[in-house]
Amino acid sequence: MTAIRSFLLFWYDFVVGDDWRVAAGVVVALGATAGLAHAGLPAWWLLPVAVAGLLALSLRRAVSVARRG
């Protein structure tokens, strides 16, 4: 395995981790926050709300998988 491949795999695992949906949600939330800020609207509240929502969805999915066995 080349050093470049190892480097890319590290960053993929670091950013995406166990759930790609959370990583995608954070990217969408960051983009929406930037869009609101660019439009001159208050955007400070969006990212904490998005992270709390993504955490709740991730926990719900993990509990559901754990209950199935």
Side-chain angles (χ1 to χ4, degrees):
M1 184 180 298
T2 66
I4 293 172
R5 182 179 165 93
S6 297
F7 180 75
L8 293 174
L9 286 175
F10 164 77
W11 280 105
Y12 177 82
D13 190 47
F14 182 74
V15 171
V16 175
D18 294 332
D19 193 355
W20 65 269
R21 294 173 197 97
V22 174
V26 168
V27 169
V28 169
L30 286 171
T33 301
L36 284 177
H38 185 71
L41 298 171
W44 62 267
W45 57 270
L46 182 58
L47 204 52
V49 170
V51 168
L54 289 168
L55 177 63
L57 290 174
S58 180
L59 285 173
R60 182 176 164 198
R61 194 172 18 257
V63 168
S64 174
V65 169
R67 285 186 179 164
R68 278 188 256 149

